[in-house]
Amino acid sequence: MIEAVGLTKRYGERVAVDRLSFTVRPGQVTGFLGPNGAGKSTTMRMILGLDAPTAGRVTVNGRPFVTLDNPMREVGALLDAKAIHGGRSAYHHLLCLAQSNNLPRRRVDEVLDVVGLTAVARKRSKGFSLGMGQRLGIATALLGDPKVLMFDEPVNGLDPEGILWIRNLMRSLAAEGRTVLVSSHLMSEMEHTADHLLVIGRGRMIADCTVREFIDRNSALAVRARTPEPERLTAVVTAAGGKAVHEPDGALLITELPLPRVGDLAFDHGIRLHELAPLQASLEQAFMELTKDSVEYHAAIPGEQQ
Ligand code: ADP
């Protein structure tokens, strides 16, 4: 369990993290989402005691990180996958950590196995690909068999196979009852990985809810209808307070009326329907909508005018 109360970090005039209060619970994957510069890494660094809060506090299993007796047994974190001594082998890197933290030697082989690096464990990690470095970073986080795990943008730069592997790993760690906090600026990634979401923008909490709630709250539900009488259906829908627009493919996109109501209206007026389907914005769309005012730097989207 991770608990933050009024957590704040200022760098001079800049407020990187602004009075965040949240609880990250065990047994589920919590997605920590926000555009670049939103304050995710700063928050994670404060959880790990690498940065001191300007105000507020954060605890891991009820205690500030710096007061934990055996930190590696309580929290594992992947912050910067490149922070590994390149001249050492993966095996050696993990063995040194195990020895200096009083962890059993067998954990080294166990975590190498979990991350699939056993075959290359004796090679120098300098020649590791980004994906292999990422796996070694995750092995390091798992070494102490901690109940709390944090991953900062773990899928950055990985190929689809690596992304799928990380996604499955997060899910299985949560299924074992661990607390899993994973940050990303990619909403599409969280849609299939996270159970719960903490969404921040400019250091502030924007949403603290389940993935389902997030989509339901932030995306307007639309209904897609296909009928041989689009003009009549448009008139009926408009009269009932809805809005209907013609899609390029001939379908009608109806908003502001629930789907059963559209079906009932068509039935009542004897309008034949060939299709009636709910259309839900993806998590990506919902996130963009919600954070559009809190993005620090707007990047031009190719093909779109600013
Ligand atoms: P994220 O991880 O969501 O991309 P960060 O936590 O890295 O965001 O950054 C949040 C804000 O704090 C950004 O505006 C960033 O420029 C600023 N920031 C982060 N670290 C420092 C630092 N050491 N000194 C000054 N500003 C910082």
Side-chain angles (χ1 to χ4, degrees):
M1 182 109 104
I2 302 170
E3 285 173 293
V5 181
L7 194 62
T8 300
K9 181 71 185 180
R10 273 188 222 103
Y11 292 108
E13 289 291 287
R14 179 178 278 284
V15 184
V17 173
D18 197 358
R19 290 163 288 164
L20 288 187
S21 297
F22 58 84
T23 303
V24 186
R25 295 191 169 79
Q28 56 184 15
V29 176
T30 300
F32 193 25
L33 303 178
N36 284 326
K40 303 181 296 294
S41 301
T42 306
T43 302
M44 286 180 150
R45 290 175 59 80
M46 287 194 283
I47 295 172
L48 293 170
L50 296 169
D51 261 337
T54 312
R57 61 192 158 81
V58 62
T59 56
V60 178
N61 297 334
R63 293 166 61 183
F65 182 90
V66 290
T67 70
L68 297 176
D69 299 327
N70 236 321
M72 278 193 89
R73 287 179 194 265
E74 303 222 31
V75 198
L78 175 76
L79 290 194
D80 179 5
K82 289 274 159 252
I84 286 163
H85 197 293
R88 273 188 198 156
S89 69
Y91 182 84
H92 230 85
H93 168 73
L94 294 168
L95 188 63
C96 287
L97 273 174
Q99 284 171 340
S100 55
N101 286 279
N102 242 340
L103 301 171
R105 201 186 179 101
R106 64 170 169 79
R107 278 302 290 163
V108 174
D109 292 316
E110 284 172 9
V111 295
L112 282 167
D113 198 37
V114 171
V115 303
L117 284 181
T118 305
V120 293
R122 309 272 173 173
K123 293 192 179 145
R124 288 201 303 171
S125 59
K126 210 178 228 168
F128 274 15
S129 66
L130 179 67
M132 286 156 84
Q134 207 80 324
R135 283 172 193 247
L136 180 53
I138 291 170
T140 309
L142 297 176
L143 196 61
D145 201 13
K147 283 272 173 279
V148 177
L149 286 151
M150 293 202 307
F151 303 95
D152 195 6
E153 303 270 2
V155 304
N156 255 6
L158 294 188
D159 58 15
E161 195 199 336
I163 292 174
L164 189 64
W165 177 77
I166 291 208
R167 189 185 285 171
N168 288 336
L169 179 72
M170 307 276 145
R171 299 232 43 92
S172 64
L173 291 168
E176 289 167 9
R178 298 178 210 260
T179 302
V180 181
L181 180 65
V182 50
S183 80
S184 180
H185 65 284
L186 296 170
M187 299 309 113
S188 48
E189 192 41 50
M190 289 294 118
E191 196 162 3
H192 306 288
T193 313
D195 307 288
H196 198 89
L197 292 180
L198 300 172
V199 184
I200 64 169
R202 288 188 192 269
R204 294 207 184 144
M205 191 68 75
I206 300 178
D208 178 349
C209 58
T210 66
V211 172
R212 188 74 256 159
E213 283 166 351
F214 182 79
I215 298 174
D216 288 348
R217 267 190 228 158
N218 298 295
S219 55
L221 193 66
V223 178
R224 196 180 135 87
R226 208 177 260 285
T227 167
E229 304 170 273
E231 269 64 42
R232 278 190 67 212
L233 186 61
T234 301
V236 166
V237 159
T238 311
K243 282 190 185 141
V245 293
H246 287 265
E247 293 280 273
D249 67 353
L252 282 178
L253 194 68
I254 300 164
T255 50
E256 293 177 31
L257 284 182
L259 185 142
R261 178 101 172 97
V262 177
D264 288 348
L265 284 168
F267 179 81
D268 291 347
H269 292 82
I271 300 171
R272 195 183 294 272
L273 289 181
H274 290 170
E275 182 187 336
L276 190 67
L279 258 193
Q280 191 128 42
S282 69
L283 187 56
E284 193 75 51
Q285 286 165 303
F287 168 75
M288 303 268 260
E289 188 59 30
L290 194 67
T291 59
K292 65 175 186 251
D293 298 328
S294 64
V295 177
E296 246 189 346
Y297 310 103
H298 284 275
I301 299 167
E304 247 183 39
Q305 290 185 337
Q306 283 291 74

